[in-house]
Amino acid sequence: GRSNDPNEENLFFKFQSITTRNMDTFRKAFPETPWIYLYREPVEVMMSQLDVPQMRMANCVRSHTRSEMISRFVARSGYQPSDLDDEEWCAIHLATLCESAIKNLNDADGLGMAVNYHKDLVHDFLDTVFPKHFNVPLDQEAIDRVMKVSGTYSKNRGKQGEFKADSEEKEKKASNGIRKASSLFLDPSFHTLQDSRYNINNW
């Protein structure tokens, strides 16, 4: 949200990934507001989602019992629910989020932008997202502030902590089950995002 500074003119919302399924609702509420969809390499995001003591308790696994989007995805995939293991349910959950994002990117016709999470992400924001997509000019003070914040881990829930890239570690530790599920169910939507005309790389 915004602070109590009367000079502020911009407000930024960050939504949890599950709200991607309701992205059209937010677009109707803010029909002229630019937005981005931040996505990640399939194996890496699955490793993050499944980093829990019991895999069956992961959000991406539990959601399959109460999502019509997941039910429709499974129906068209040719698989039966009983055929699927936890890793596959997780990949399917994530695929439905990506598919929702893809639909909204196409419907928004330029107001949305797909941005891949990678080690130099901060420069994508400084060079393209803020000045060209959000139309927010950046002076040196703002750039310095962004660089400082980008070095802080955003999921510490109030605690201070330095951000450390973990992509390589996640790739190395991924099980064969995660790799297989990712390749089968999540890779197609990931590549569609990569190739989208609304991907940041095509700006």
Side-chain angles (χ1 to χ4, degrees):
R2 295 174 62 178
S3 70
N4 58 1
D5 185 346
N7 295 318
E8 286 190 352
E9 298 179 352
N10 300 300
L11 176 63
F12 173 78
F13 289 103
K14 177 183 177 182
F15 296 105
Q16 291 186 331
S17 61
I18 191 63
T19 59
T20 305
R21 293 178 181 161
N22 305 110
M23 193 182 294
D24 56 339
T25 301
F26 295 105
R27 287 181 44 238
K28 290 176 182 177
F30 304 99
E32 298 180 358
T33 301
W35 52 273
I36 69 168
Y37 179 70
L38 187 64
Y39 63 100
R40 191 171 185 175
E41 293 284 340
V43 169
E44 294 172 17
V45 73
M46 284 191 64
M47 288 290 289
S48 292
Q49 288 283 317
L50 296 173
D51 186 18
V52 292
Q54 293 183 313
M55 189 179 296
R56 61 184 176 83
M57 297 304 296
N59 289 332
C60 63
V61 177
R62 291 186 293 132
S63 67
H64 78 267
T65 59
R66 54 185 186 274
S67 169
E68 291 185 5
M69 290 184 68
I70 288 179
S71 297
R72 291 195 297 269
F73 187 104
V74 173
R76 75 171 193 263
S77 72
Y79 287 82
Q80 296 297 320
S82 58
D83 297 332
L84 303 169
D85 58 27
D86 289 343
E87 290 94 337
E88 289 167 333
W89 281 121
C90 183
I92 290 170
H93 164 89
L94 296 169
T96 62
L97 302 185
C98 291
E99 288 186 349
S100 179
I102 291 164
K103 181 182 184 303
N104 279 276
L105 284 165
N106 292 332
D107 291 346
D109 195 25
L111 274 179
M113 174 188 285
V115 180
N116 190 6
Y117 179 102
H118 62 102
K119 63 180 180 179
D120 294 321
L121 180 64
V122 64
H123 296 292
D124 284 345
F125 275 82
L126 292 174
D127 298 339
T128 305
V129 174
F130 287 136
K132 299 179 182 178
H133 188 54
F134 289 166
N135 296 312
V136 175
L138 299 175
D139 57 19
Q140 189 58 50
E141 181 181 359
I143 292 173
D144 292 342
R145 197 159 56 243
V146 170
M147 293 300 296
K148 180 180 179 180
V149 170
S150 69
T152 303
Y153 186 44
S154 66
K155 296 182 180 178
N156 270 1
R157 299 189 182 280
K159 301 178 182 178
Q160 294 296 318
E162 180 183 354
F163 172 77
K164 296 180 180 179
D166 58 357
S167 296
E168 291 185 8
E169 182 180 2
K170 281 182 164 60
E171 287 283 350
K172 290 179 180 178
K173 291 184 176 180
S175 67
N176 289 333
I178 287 177
R179 294 183 187 280
K180 179 181 176 181
S182 169
S183 176
L184 186 61
F185 295 115
L186 188 51
D187 278 9
S189 55
F190 171 80
H191 290 299
T192 299
L193 286 166
Q194 287 284 81
D195 297 336
S196 170
R197 61 182 292 196
Y198 304 112
N199 191 288
I200 189 172
N201 293 327
N202 293 325
W203 277 63

